[in-house]
Amino acid sequence: MENKYQYLTFLGLTFNVANCLSIILTALVVFFLVFFLSRKITMRPGKRQNVLEYLIDFSNGIVKSIMPGDEGKPFYFYIFVLFLFLLVSNILGLFLEIKVNGFTYTKSPTADPMVTMPLALMSLVLSHYYGAEKYGFKGYLSNFARPVGFMLPMNLIEEFTNFLTLSLRLYGNIFAGEVLIGLLVMMTQGAGLSGVFGSIAAIPLMMVWQGFSVFIGAVQAYIFATLTCVYFSRKITRE
Amino acid sequence: MANGLVIAAKATIVNGSTGDSLILIIAFILLLILLKHFAWKPVVKMMDDRQKKISDDLDGAADSRAKAEAMAAKRQAELKNSKAEAIQIVNTAKTNGEKRRDQIVSDAQTEASQVKDKAHADADQVRTEALNSARAEVGQIAIDIAESLIKKDLDTQDQQNLIDAYIKGLTNADETK
C-alpha cells in the first residue's frame, strides 16, 4: 500500500484531494443517475422510471422493515439518498483508480474515517432532531433516563458507541477491501510474489475479490441505512 | 506487507483531513436538496397518484360490476314480465276473437232467420193476394158466365133490375173513385 495523496490546506482545514474529488464524483454520479432515471415521469412507467421506482421501493422497504406504518415516512427520502450515496461510494474505488505522478486522485471516499464519521454524525444528529421534534426538548432529554434513571450513563455512552460503530464499521470494511485490492494490484505488477507466476495467480484472485467487494459494498450500504433507521426509530419511540 | 498495512492505516487516521468531512457534508446536503427537487418529489407524487388511481379504479370496477349485475337482474325480471304480458295479450286476443266469432255467427243466424221469416211472410202475402185476386177473378168469370147464361133467360124486369144494380155499382165505384 503505497497510496500517496495530495493535501491542500485552506482556512486551517486539511483537504485530501482524492477524497474531495471522490466525494464530488460520487455525488455527481448519484445525482445524474437519478436525474437520468427520473426524466419523463408518467402514469405508466417506462423502463427508467421502473428502475427508479424499484430503487425507491427498496429503500422504502429498509425503512418499513424497521418502522412499519406512517412514522417512517419522513425518513424515506433521506434513506434513499444515503443508500445510493453509500452504494456508489463503496463501489467507486473498485473500478476507478486514477494515479497521476504517484498521487492517487480517486478512491472509495468511504475508505476514510474522516468521510464515514460525518455521515454517521449526520444520521445521528438527524435522529436526535426527530426525537426532540416528537417529544419536545424536555421529553427528548428525559428519554435518556428511560426506562429507569440509572440507565442514564449507559444511554449517553451508547450514543458515542453508536456513532463510532456506525462510522468505523463502514470505514473498516471498505478500507480493508481497498487495501486487499491494492495488494493484489501489487502482485499483478510482480512486486509481491515471485514474478510471472504471481501475476498470473493474482488475476483470478483479484476478480474474485473485486466481486466480493461489490457485495460487501452493497451490504455495508444496506447495513448503514438499516442502522440509521434503527437509531431513528429508537429516538421516536419509547420502550 | 503487514507493516505497510499498519503504516497506511495510521497515516489515514493521523493525517485525518477535516476538510473532507466538510466537503462531504456540503456535497451530501446539496445532493439531498437537488434530488428532492428534481427526482424524488415528481416520482413519489406519481407513485402516490398511481396508487390512488388503482384503488379508485378497483372501487369503480366493483361499482360498475354491481351496477351491471343489478341491470342484468332487472332485465331478467323485465323479460319474465314481458313474457307473461305477451301470453296475456295472446289470451285476450284469443278470447276476443272467440267472442267476436260467436257474435258474428249469432248475428248471421238471427239475420238468416229474419230473412227466412220475411220470406215466409212475403210468400204468405203473395199467396193470399193471389188467392184473393183469383177468387175475385173467378167470381167475375162466374158472374160473366152467369150473365151470359142469364141474358137469355132473364125477363126485362129482371134485366132492368140488374142494370140498375150494375149502374148503382158503377156510381158507387165512381163515388169511391
Side-chain angles (χ1 to χ4, degrees):
Chain A
M1 285 301 299
E2 289 169 308
N3 281 348
K4 283 191 289 179
Y5 302 114
Q6 264 197 333
Y7 291 95
L8 292 174
T9 314
F10 183 69
L11 294 175
L13 295 173
T14 318
F15 293 89
N16 183 340
V17 177
N19 274 345
C20 294
L21 281 178
S22 309
I23 289 166
I24 291 165
L25 193 63
T26 307
L28 286 177
V29 167
V30 172
F31 176 73
F32 280 109
L33 175 73
V34 177
F35 188 77
F36 168 75
L37 290 177
S38 68
R39 296 306 89 191
K40 282 193 288 177
I41 301 286
T42 50
M43 189 64 92
R44 286 164 209 276
K47 276 180 194 166
R48 294 180 196 171
Q49 199 184 339
N50 265 335
V51 172
L52 184 60
E53 285 184 9
Y54 173 75
L55 283 174
I56 289 175
D57 273 342
F58 181 78
S59 71
N60 287 358
I62 296 176
V63 183
K64 277 177 193 157
S65 66
I66 308 294
M67 287 176 279
D70 281 350
E71 73 265 27
K73 272 200 174 155
F75 311 124
Y76 286 170
F77 175 61
Y78 180 74
I79 296 299
F80 172 69
V81 178
L82 187 69
F83 177 73
L84 277 188
F85 186 84
L86 287 176
L87 188 66
V88 173
S89 59
N90 289 351
I91 293 172
L92 189 73
L94 297 178
F95 59 86
L96 193 67
E97 189 158 8
I98 299 172
K99 277 190 181 180
V100 180
N101 292 334
F103 288 111
T104 309
Y105 283 105
T106 61
K107 62 187 200 86
S108 281
T110 40
D112 190 319
M114 281 298 138
V115 173
T116 58
M117 279 178 178
L119 277 170
L121 197 64
M122 251 193 299
S123 292
L124 289 169
V125 166
L126 266 180
S127 75
H128 286 274
Y129 168 75
Y130 279 113
E133 192 192 39
K134 177 151 186 195
Y135 293 114
F137 195 62
K138 264 192 179 176
Y140 157 72
L141 284 182
S142 74
N143 276 354
F144 283 107
R146 276 172 201 276
V148 276
F150 67 81
M151 290 291 280
L152 177 66
M154 248 89 84
N155 282 334
L156 286 177
I157 290 169
E158 198 192 3
E159 295 304 322
F160 288 103
T161 53
N162 281 349
F163 167 65
L164 283 177
T165 51
L166 192 59
S167 56
L168 294 183
R169 176 188 302 109
L170 180 61
Y171 154 66
N173 274 287
I174 307 305
F175 182 65
E178 289 232 321
V179 167
L180 204 62
I181 292 234
L183 287 178
L184 289 169
V185 167
M186 272 160 61
M187 273 170 79
T188 54
Q189 287 161 353
L193 288 174
S194 49
V196 183
F197 171 71
S199 306
I200 293 167
I203 288 169
L205 271 178
M206 186 148 165
M207 284 164 69
V208 168
W209 184 251
Q210 274 195 323
F212 190 58
S213 290
V214 171
F215 172 68
I216 284 182
V219 166
Q220 286 305 319
Y222 182 79
I223 288 174
F224 197 99
T226 307
L227 283 175
T228 300
C229 279
V230 169
Y231 298 149
F232 280 153
S233 78
R234 269 202 210 157
K235 284 290 169 206
I236 62 163
T237 50
R238 281 173 168 162
E239 286 103 14
Chain B
M1 210 183 296
N3 216 13
L5 264 179
V6 172
I7 290 165
K10 254 189 185 171
T12 326
I13 291 170
V14 169
N15 292 334
S17 36
T18 40
D20 297 352
S21 307
L22 194 68
I23 291 277
L24 178 98
I25 289 173
I26 292 168
F28 197 79
I29 288 172
L30 268 179
L31 189 64
L32 282 172
I33 292 167
L34 288 175
L35 282 187
K36 182 127 196 169
H37 181 257
F38 282 111
W40 183 263
K41 274 183 182 169
V43 173
V44 168
K45 187 175 170 294
M46 188 53 72
M47 285 165 92
D48 287 350
D49 284 357
R50 185 183 306 132
Q51 200 177 359
K52 194 168 166 292
K53 187 178 183 301
I54 287 171
S55 68
D56 282 359
D57 284 358
L58 285 178
D59 289 353
D63 271 6
S64 14
R65 196 189 152 85
K67 261 186 205 162
E69 270 170 9
M71 194 78 92
K74 205 176 149 198
R75 291 266 159 77
Q76 202 72 31
E78 272 172 7
L79 196 65
K80 254 184 203 166
N81 271 356
S82 58
K83 256 183 201 167
E85 217 168 302
I87 289 172
Q88 206 190 341
I89 287 169
V90 168
N91 283 344
T92 322
K94 248 185 211 169
T95 41
N96 279 352
E98 270 166 21
K99 261 188 210 164
R100 185 111 185 90
R101 191 187 64 188
D102 290 352
Q103 203 191 342
I104 288 169
V105 167
S106 63
D107 280 1
Q109 273 172 352
T110 21
E111 213 171 309
S113 62
Q114 273 174 1
V115 166
K116 213 164 121 188
D117 288 352
K118 208 182 165 210
H120 271 294
D122 283 357
D124 279 353
Q125 204 188 342
V126 166
R127 199 182 58 182
T128 339
E129 272 173 16
L131 270 177
N132 285 349
S133 66
R135 215 175 269 156
E137 227 161 293
V138 167
Q140 191 62 43
I141 290 167
I143 285 171
D144 287 350
I145 293 169
E147 245 175 35
S148 53
L149 284 177
I150 287 165
K151 258 177 198 169
K152 290 159 189 177
D153 301 335
L154 277 179
D155 52 16
T156 39
Q157 185 59 44
D158 290 336
Q159 216 163 3
Q160 189 61 47
N161 284 347
L162 265 173
I163 289 163
D164 287 350
Y166 189 70
I167 288 165
K168 215 180 178 181
L170 278 177
T171 354
N172 278 350
D174 271 352
E175 273 171 2
T176 51
K177 268 183 189 170

